[in-house]
Structures are given as C-alpha cells and as structure tokens.
Amino acid sequence: MTFDQMLERVRYEGAYPTRERAAEAVHHVLAALGRQLTGDERVDLAQCLPVEAAVTLTAQIPDTEHLTGWGFVKDLAARTGATPATVRWDTGAVLAVVTHLAGPDLLARILRQLPGGYALLFGQAELLRPHPTAA
C-alpha cells in the first residue's frame, strides 16, 4: 500500500472531509504509537507501513512510561489540543488501517506488548485475564 492509498483508506474510515485531515490524523496517531511501541514489534510494524508512515512511527523516542489505552488517548489529546472524543475517533480510523496492514499475528504481538485498553483502539475485542483469587 502506498502512503496515498493509506490516506484514502483513513479518510474513508474516519469520514474526513479532506485528505489533509486524514494525513494529520495519521501523523498524530502514529507518532503517539511510536512513543509506546518498542522492540521487534516496532520494527516489524514499520516494515508493514508505507515509508512516510513508518518514518513518523520510528522518529519517536519511546517513552519510559507505558500508557494504558485510555492514557494514550488522553496524552494525545493534551499534545494536540483536541478533545478525547476526537482523538478516539482519529485513533480508531488510523489503527483500523494499521490493523489491516499489520495482519493478525503482528497485531497480537503488539497487543501483548502494550498495556490494557489498546485492543479496543485497534478495533479488537479486549479479553481480560482473570486475577487470581486469594485462597
């Protein structure tokens, strides 16, 4: 997929009025994801993305603080000045396309690396692990 094709898919997913608005969403969301993702998953995801998108993802230095899915949305809203609802919408539109590009195996690895709450951002069901009960 080319970057132009990615922008058109994101534009469709997010029902954005312009290609520029879709590009803004792509750059904001991938930069934020680049601050959370590390290791082989980061490298493998970058290889699945068009070059322009991969550069946005990998240009970020990963944060030492790992945010939950909701923390990711709140942090991105604070950085961009957008509302959490708008950021959640943008994240869903961009990550729907990223999910398609990554494929199920890489997506599963990415979700195992990230804290809770990211599966929903990627449009996936979030299965919670039961907590052991004290005997």
mmCIF file of all heavy atoms in Angstrom, residues 99-121:
data_model
loop_
_atom_site.group_PDB
_atom_site.id
_atom_site.type_symbol
_atom_site.label_atom_id
_atom_site.label_comp_id
_atom_site.label_asym_id
_atom_site.label_seq_id
_atom_site.Cartn_x
_atom_site.Cartn_y
_atom_site.Cartn_z
ATOM 1 N N THR A 99 -4.179 -2.029 11.464
ATOM 2 C CA THR A 99 -4.545 -3.419 11.745
ATOM 3 C C THR A 99 -4.538 -4.243 10.465
ATOM 4 O O THR A 99 -4.006 -5.351 10.429
ATOM 5 C CB THR A 99 -5.935 -3.481 12.411
ATOM 6 O OG1 THR A 99 -5.851 -2.824 13.679
ATOM 7 C CG2 THR A 99 -6.412 -4.898 12.609
ATOM 8 N N HIS A 100 -5.109 -3.690 9.417
ATOM 9 C CA HIS A 100 -5.139 -4.378 8.120
ATOM 10 C C HIS A 100 -3.722 -4.604 7.593
ATOM 11 O O HIS A 100 -3.396 -5.692 7.102
ATOM 12 C CB HIS A 100 -5.962 -3.549 7.127
ATOM 13 C CG HIS A 100 -5.893 -4.037 5.727
ATOM 14 N ND1 HIS A 100 -6.535 -5.175 5.296
ATOM 15 C CD2 HIS A 100 -5.223 -3.552 4.646
ATOM 16 C CE1 HIS A 100 -6.272 -5.364 4.019
ATOM 17 N NE2 HIS A 100 -5.477 -4.397 3.596
ATOM 18 N N LEU A 101 -2.878 -3.585 7.691
ATOM 19 C CA LEU A 101 -1.512 -3.696 7.178
ATOM 20 C C LEU A 101 -0.658 -4.648 8.005
ATOM 21 O O LEU A 101 0.189 -5.360 7.464
ATOM 22 C CB LEU A 101 -0.858 -2.315 7.128
ATOM 23 C CG LEU A 101 -1.444 -1.342 6.106
ATOM 24 C CD1 LEU A 101 -0.865 0.057 6.306
ATOM 25 C CD2 LEU A 101 -1.189 -1.834 4.699
ATOM 26 N N ALA A 102 -0.849 -4.645 9.305
ATOM 27 C CA ALA A 102 -0.023 -5.470 10.196
ATOM 28 C C ALA A 102 -0.375 -6.950 10.103
ATOM 29 O O ALA A 102 0.497 -7.810 10.206
ATOM 30 C CB ALA A 102 -0.169 -4.992 11.640
ATOM 31 N N GLY A 103 -1.642 -7.251 9.952
ATOM 32 C CA GLY A 103 -2.079 -8.644 9.948
ATOM 33 C C GLY A 103 -2.274 -9.160 11.363
ATOM 34 O O GLY A 103 -1.801 -8.558 12.337
ATOM 35 N N PRO A 104 -2.967 -10.287 11.496
ATOM 36 C CA PRO A 104 -3.351 -10.778 12.821
ATOM 37 C C PRO A 104 -2.190 -11.197 13.727
ATOM 38 O O PRO A 104 -2.237 -10.980 14.934
ATOM 39 C CB PRO A 104 -4.277 -11.956 12.531
ATOM 40 C CG PRO A 104 -4.002 -12.334 11.115
ATOM 41 C CD PRO A 104 -3.506 -11.106 10.417
ATOM 42 N N ASP A 105 -1.157 -11.801 13.169
ATOM 43 C CA ASP A 105 -0.047 -12.275 14.014
ATOM 44 C C ASP A 105 0.731 -11.116 14.628
ATOM 45 O O ASP A 105 0.983 -11.100 15.830
ATOM 46 C CB ASP A 105 0.894 -13.183 13.227
ATOM 47 C CG ASP A 105 0.222 -14.485 12.802
ATOM 48 O OD1 ASP A 105 -0.773 -14.883 13.448
ATOM 49 O OD2 ASP A 105 0.690 -15.084 11.820
ATOM 50 N N LEU A 106 1.103 -10.144 13.809
ATOM 51 C CA LEU A 106 1.833 -8.986 14.333
ATOM 52 C C LEU A 106 0.947 -8.185 15.277
ATOM 53 O O LEU A 106 1.414 -7.734 16.321
ATOM 54 C CB LEU A 106 2.347 -8.102 13.196
ATOM 55 C CG LEU A 106 3.072 -6.822 13.625
ATOM 56 C CD1 LEU A 106 4.227 -7.119 14.575
ATOM 57 C CD2 LEU A 106 3.562 -6.063 12.393
ATOM 58 N N LEU A 107 -0.317 -8.034 14.943
ATOM 59 C CA LEU A 107 -1.219 -7.301 15.828
ATOM 60 C C LEU A 107 -1.296 -7.973 17.197
ATOM 61 O O LEU A 107 -1.245 -7.295 18.225
ATOM 62 C CB LEU A 107 -2.615 -7.183 15.216
ATOM 63 C CG LEU A 107 -3.617 -6.411 16.067
ATOM 64 C CD1 LEU A 107 -3.156 -4.972 16.295
ATOM 65 C CD2 LEU A 107 -4.987 -6.432 15.420
ATOM 66 N N ALA A 108 -1.369 -9.276 17.232
ATOM 67 C CA ALA A 108 -1.411 -9.999 18.512
ATOM 68 C C ALA A 108 -0.135 -9.735 19.316
ATOM 69 O O ALA A 108 -0.195 -9.528 20.538
ATOM 70 C CB ALA A 108 -1.593 -11.495 18.273
ATOM 71 N N ARG A 109 1.005 -9.728 18.659
ATOM 72 C CA ARG A 109 2.273 -9.441 19.348
ATOM 73 C C ARG A 109 2.287 -8.012 19.888
ATOM 74 O O ARG A 109 2.751 -7.760 21.000
ATOM 75 C CB ARG A 109 3.455 -9.669 18.406
ATOM 76 C CG ARG A 109 3.696 -11.130 18.094
ATOM 77 C CD ARG A 109 4.820 -11.376 17.098
ATOM 78 N NE ARG A 109 5.893 -10.428 17.136
ATOM 79 C CZ ARG A 109 6.493 -9.921 16.063
ATOM 80 N NH1 ARG A 109 6.098 -10.262 14.847
ATOM 81 N NH2 ARG A 109 7.487 -9.057 16.186
ATOM 82 N N ILE A 110 1.811 -7.069 19.084
ATOM 83 C CA ILE A 110 1.763 -5.670 19.511
ATOM 84 C C ILE A 110 0.869 -5.533 20.738
ATOM 85 O O ILE A 110 1.246 -4.883 21.725
ATOM 86 C CB ILE A 110 1.270 -4.767 18.362
ATOM 87 C CG1 ILE A 110 2.344 -4.672 17.270
ATOM 88 C CG2 ILE A 110 0.880 -3.386 18.872
ATOM 89 C CD1 ILE A 110 1.855 -4.041 15.975
ATOM 90 N N LEU A 111 -0.291 -6.152 20.699
ATOM 91 C CA LEU A 111 -1.233 -6.037 21.825
ATOM 92 C C LEU A 111 -0.701 -6.704 23.085
ATOM 93 O O LEU A 111 -0.991 -6.247 24.197
ATOM 94 C CB LEU A 111 -2.601 -6.593 21.440
ATOM 95 C CG LEU A 111 -3.346 -5.779 20.391
ATOM 96 C CD1 LEU A 111 -4.633 -6.467 19.987
ATOM 97 C CD2 LEU A 111 -3.605 -4.362 20.889
ATOM 98 N N ARG A 112 0.085 -7.766 22.934
ATOM 99 C CA ARG A 112 0.698 -8.396 24.118
ATOM 100 C C ARG A 112 1.728 -7.472 24.758
ATOM 101 O O ARG A 112 1.937 -7.496 25.961
ATOM 102 C CB ARG A 112 1.347 -9.728 23.746
ATOM 103 C CG ARG A 112 0.380 -10.878 23.680
ATOM 104 C CD ARG A 112 1.079 -12.236 23.640
ATOM 105 N NE ARG A 112 1.938 -12.414 22.479
ATOM 106 C CZ ARG A 112 1.546 -12.878 21.300
ATOM 107 N NH1 ARG A 112 0.285 -13.216 21.114
ATOM 108 N NH2 ARG A 112 2.405 -13.034 20.306
ATOM 109 N N GLN A 113 2.379 -6.643 23.944
ATOM 110 C CA GLN A 113 3.405 -5.746 24.470
ATOM 111 C C GLN A 113 2.802 -4.536 25.183
ATOM 112 O O GLN A 113 3.351 -4.057 26.162
ATOM 113 C CB GLN A 113 4.315 -5.251 23.338
ATOM 114 C CG GLN A 113 5.438 -4.369 23.845
ATOM 115 C CD GLN A 113 6.225 -3.705 22.743
ATOM 116 O OE1 GLN A 113 6.126 -2.510 22.586
ATOM 117 N NE2 GLN A 113 6.990 -4.482 21.987
ATOM 118 N N LEU A 114 1.688 -4.042 24.687
ATOM 119 C CA LEU A 114 1.098 -2.813 25.221
ATOM 120 C C LEU A 114 0.215 -3.099 26.429
ATOM 121 O O LEU A 114 -0.357 -4.186 26.549
ATOM 122 C CB LEU A 114 0.272 -2.129 24.124
ATOM 123 C CG LEU A 114 1.075 -1.639 22.919
ATOM 124 C CD1 LEU A 114 0.133 -1.209 21.796
ATOM 125 C CD2 LEU A 114 1.997 -0.498 23.316
ATOM 126 N N PRO A 115 0.060 -2.110 27.323
ATOM 127 C CA PRO A 115 -0.837 -2.284 28.471
ATOM 128 C C PRO A 115 -2.293 -2.433 28.025
ATOM 129 O O PRO A 115 -2.618 -2.271 26.844
ATOM 130 C CB PRO A 115 -0.651 -0.984 29.270
ATOM 131 C CG PRO A 115 0.604 -0.377 28.776
ATOM 132 C CD PRO A 115 0.771 -0.846 27.355
ATOM 133 N N GLY A 116 -3.167 -2.672 28.966
ATOM 134 C CA GLY A 116 -4.587 -2.849 28.680
ATOM 135 C C GLY A 116 -5.214 -1.643 27.991
ATOM 136 O O GLY A 116 -4.775 -0.514 28.150
ATOM 137 N N GLY A 117 -6.250 -1.920 27.221
ATOM 138 C CA GLY A 117 -7.022 -0.867 26.592
ATOM 139 C C GLY A 117 -6.688 -0.613 25.137
ATOM 140 O O GLY A 117 -7.426 0.093 24.450
ATOM 141 N N TYR A 118 -5.603 -1.166 24.635
ATOM 142 C CA TYR A 118 -5.225 -0.913 23.244
ATOM 143 C C TYR A 118 -6.017 -1.753 22.252
ATOM 144 O O TYR A 118 -6.217 -1.342 21.117
ATOM 145 C CB TYR A 118 -3.732 -1.144 23.021
ATOM 146 C CG TYR A 118 -2.895 0.008 23.502
ATOM 147 C CD1 TYR A 118 -2.446 0.063 24.812
ATOM 148 C CD2 TYR A 118 -2.563 1.052 22.655
ATOM 149 C CE1 TYR A 118 -1.693 1.126 25.271
ATOM 150 C CE2 TYR A 118 -1.804 2.123 23.091
ATOM 151 C CZ TYR A 118 -1.374 2.147 24.404
ATOM 152 O OH TYR A 118 -0.629 3.210 24.848
ATOM 153 N N ALA A 119 -6.471 -2.929 22.648
ATOM 154 C CA ALA A 119 -7.204 -3.784 21.714
ATOM 155 C C ALA A 119 -8.412 -3.034 21.152
ATOM 156 O O ALA A 119 -8.654 -3.057 19.946
ATOM 157 C CB ALA A 119 -7.640 -5.077 22.400
ATOM 158 N N LEU A 120 -9.126 -2.348 22.004
ATOM 159 C CA LEU A 120 -10.294 -1.596 21.542
ATOM 160 C C LEU A 120 -9.891 -0.494 20.571
ATOM 161 O O LEU A 120 -10.613 -0.211 19.614
ATOM 162 C CB LEU A 120 -11.053 -1.009 22.728
ATOM 163 C CG LEU A 120 -11.706 -2.035 23.652
ATOM 164 C CD1 LEU A 120 -12.302 -1.354 24.868
ATOM 165 C CD2 LEU A 120 -12.746 -2.843 22.907
ATOM 166 N N LEU A 121 -8.743 0.129 20.793
ATOM 167 C CA LEU A 121 -8.278 1.173 19.886
ATOM 168 C C LEU A 121 -7.967 0.602 18.502
ATOM 169 O O LEU A 121 -8.108 1.285 17.499
ATOM 170 C CB LEU A 121 -7.042 1.878 20.452
ATOM 171 C CG LEU A 121 -7.242 2.636 21.763
ATOM 172 C CD1 LEU A 121 -5.922 3.238 22.230
ATOM 173 C CD2 LEU A 121 -8.306 3.703 21.621
#
